[in-house]
Amino acid sequence: MSKIATDYYGTHMKFDEYPSFGVLSGVNVLTTGVNIAGPYAGSIMSEMGAKVLQVEHPKIPCNQRGCYGYSQDHRNGFSMALDTHSERGMEVLKKLLIWADIWIESGRPGTYDRLGLSDEYVWDNLNPKLAIVHVSGYGQYGPDKDKAAYDVSGQAMSGYMYLNGASPTSPPLKVNPYLSDYATAMNACICGLALLVHARETGEGDSVDISQYETMFRLLSSYPIEWFNVGYPADGEPVPWRTGNASNQAAGFSFYDCKDGTIFIGCVGAGNVKRGYPLFGLPLPGTTDPEIYENFSSCMVTLPLGQRIEKAISDFCADKTVSEVERLLNERGIPNQRAYGPGDILKDAHYRAREDIVTWTDSVLGEVTGIGVMNKFKRNPARIVSSAPTFGEHNIEVLKALGIPEETIDIMYEVGEFDGMDAKETAIRWRMKEWGFFWREDQWKTFGL
């Protein structure tokens, strides 16, 4: 019997021993694809208790492997490195589609149709209730559907970058890290679970076509209405919405400079204005200034009154420290927040109280500290139960669970229809010592590097 990927430095979770926990306990999720936009949707579900298996091609591992993000974004998951283009590999994939409740695929549009696994074929022949989520850069149809895409593709095409920049004459600005990828993954998670609810209510599966650019386009709030009805700059003209950390719309809703740093203040809305304007040296609404009338909530920052409000708040902050401004605003219940850096996050009592920073054991990195579980469920809490899997870590366990005979498993391995790497092979393959991904000597010494 071929033996691969069975010697682990971290925590190995057996495929047939996944614990029961969380609001998604009993839900099986199959992801076929790499990078972030598709697979991370499964990762979100796995921390809620779903059993999530990612299938990658044995010769094309996810390029997130070997970096810090993989260890955090794939906790609780299972991994197969399977050639689904081979006859035996295709039969395994079909068995997995029967096993799954949700299938999230992020291949090039039409990939699975060409392999004979159209939505209709899957529902008619394999799993009539399967929830199918197609994730791509540009969607499953349209003239750009075959274009290759990464995170910035979605930010760029959607208009999201167009909005952002340091000044109206600066170039468009992307947002770090991988906003389009992570937003698309959360959209895929939402849609996948919506399809699951529909299937359980009706007995019929359905599919959804999710694109990165449309996900980002939908996040543009009121700006498209303004562009397409009021107008927008011609090519080469200044873009008024690119105002960096300052609001381009509301007065009293920006970052303001203090003696020792900068702080966001959101003094808009009738209640905040009533509590905050006297603090900033502005009249109480409805008293001495007809422009600042009763129940005044804010005005456009471009108007003379808006500039007056901005100056008052700027002057208020200029001779105070960030901490002093925080205290005064918090006493009055006015929204504010200084921009946290890593040191602020680590020592913050609120982060600590909500267990937003946790330590777990990763198969490759060893003990690692990072982001905890995102959503706090009262009765069925989300959990971290295992390390991110190494490449193909669960090949044999999954194949056995699907009833594949051992002699067939051996043949598949010998001809390269599946493959895998243990933790040491992972460290060597991605040159983790040479490229500086290990930060302690014991990490590489564990592997004899």
Side-chain angles (χ1 to χ4, degrees), residues 347-368:
K347 66 185 180 184
D348 186 83
H350 193 76
Y351 270 86
R352 189 162 52 252
R354 292 179 62 82
E355 298 180 305
D356 292 324
I357 303 172
V358 298
T359 298
W360 70 96
T361 301
D362 181 71
S363 294
V364 181
L365 297 173
E367 189 174 272
V368 61

Side-chain angles (χ1 to χ4, degrees), residues 5 8 11-13 52-54 56 65-66 70-71 73-80 362-364 386-394 421-423 426:
Y8 300 102
T11 53
H12 174 67
M13 177 63 67
V52 179
L53 172 66
Q54 181 183 9
E56 304 161 69
R65 290 183 177 278
Y70 190 85
S71 64
D73 291 349
H74 288 263
R75 300 175 302 204
N76 290 9
F78 298 90
S79 171
M80 282 194 80
D362 181 71
S363 294
V364 181
S386 70
S387 168
T390 55
F391 186 57
E393 179 174 326
H394 300 92
M421 300 179 195
D422 63 20
T426 300

Side-chain angles (χ1 to χ4, degrees), residues 14-301:
K14 292 185 177 180
F15 186 71
D16 60 357
E17 294 181 3
Y18 194 63
S20 176
F21 71 94
V23 293
L24 295 183
S25 179
V27 175
N28 295 331
V29 181
L30 174 68
T31 70
T32 54
V34 293
N35 300 326
I36 298 171
Y40 183 62
S43 178
I44 298 170
M45 296 183 201
S46 75
E47 292 188 356
M48 300 185 218
K51 190 174 186 177
V52 179
L53 172 66
Q54 181 183 9
V55 173
E56 304 161 69
H57 192 281
K59 298 188 185 308
I60 312 174
C62 178
N63 65 15
Q64 296 299 300
R65 290 183 177 278
C67 70
Y68 300 137
Y70 190 85
S71 64
Q72 185 169 264
D73 291 349
H74 288 263
R75 300 175 302 204
N76 290 9
F78 298 90
S79 171
M80 282 194 80
L82 176 71
D83 182 3
T84 55
H85 291 74
S86 70
E87 183 178 342
R88 282 180 290 259
M90 176 56 69
E91 289 306 308
V92 172
L93 180 57
K94 288 179 179 179
K95 289 179 180 291
L96 289 172
L97 292 172
I98 294 170
W99 164 83
D101 299 297
I102 300 172
W103 176 26
I104 304 170
E105 70 87 8
S106 51
R108 292 289 183 94
T111 295
Y112 289 95
D113 285 354
R114 290 189 291 272
L115 290 173
L117 290 179
S118 67
D119 295 351
E120 290 72 21
Y121 176 87
V122 172
W123 293 322
D124 292 344
N125 298 278
L126 301 175
N127 188 342
K129 297 174 65 175
L130 187 62
I132 304 175
V133 182
H134 299 288
V135 178
S136 63
Y138 299 95
Q140 301 298 305
Y141 61 89
D144 288 340
K145 69 180 180 66
D146 293 323
K147 283 180 64 175
Y150 273 127
D151 165 76
V152 178
S153 308
Q155 292 196 42
M157 185 172 180
S158 66
Y160 209 92
M161 285 179 61
Y162 172 82
L163 272 180
N164 289 288
S167 74
T169 56
S170 71
L173 188 68
K174 73 179 179 71
V175 179
N176 291 328
Y178 313 125
L179 178 62
S180 175
D181 278 342
Y182 283 107
T184 301
M186 291 185 180
N187 189 16
C189 181
I190 293 168
C191 290
L193 294 175
L195 292 172
L196 179 64
V197 171
H198 174 79
R200 289 183 170 179
E201 289 291 325
T202 67
E204 292 185 346
D206 201 347
S207 69
V208 62
D209 174 2
I210 294 175
S211 73
Q212 288 179 285
Y213 89 91
E214 286 171 316
T215 297
M216 297 303 296
F217 185 56
R218 189 59 183 85
L219 299 182
L220 290 183
S221 184
S222 63
Y223 291 100
I225 296 177
E226 180 177 352
W227 298 341
F228 307 145
N229 293 278
V230 180
Y232 50 88
D235 289 346
E237 291 184 350
V239 179
W241 304 284
R242 294 180 194 158
T243 53
N245 286 336
S247 173
N248 60 68
Q249 294 182 324
F253 195 85
S254 289
F255 273 85
Y256 300 90
D257 291 333
C258 302
K259 288 196 300 185
D260 60 347
T262 185
I263 187 170
F264 164 74
I265 297 175
C267 194
V268 297
N272 291 322
V273 166
K274 184 177 181 179
R275 294 188 298 271
Y277 275 20
L279 179 67
F280 303 136
L282 293 165
L284 184 71
T287 57
T288 62
D289 189 328
E291 283 195 301
I292 305 178
Y293 45 83
E294 185 73 28
N295 292 323
F296 181 83
S297 62
S298 186
C299 73
M300 293 297 295
V301 70

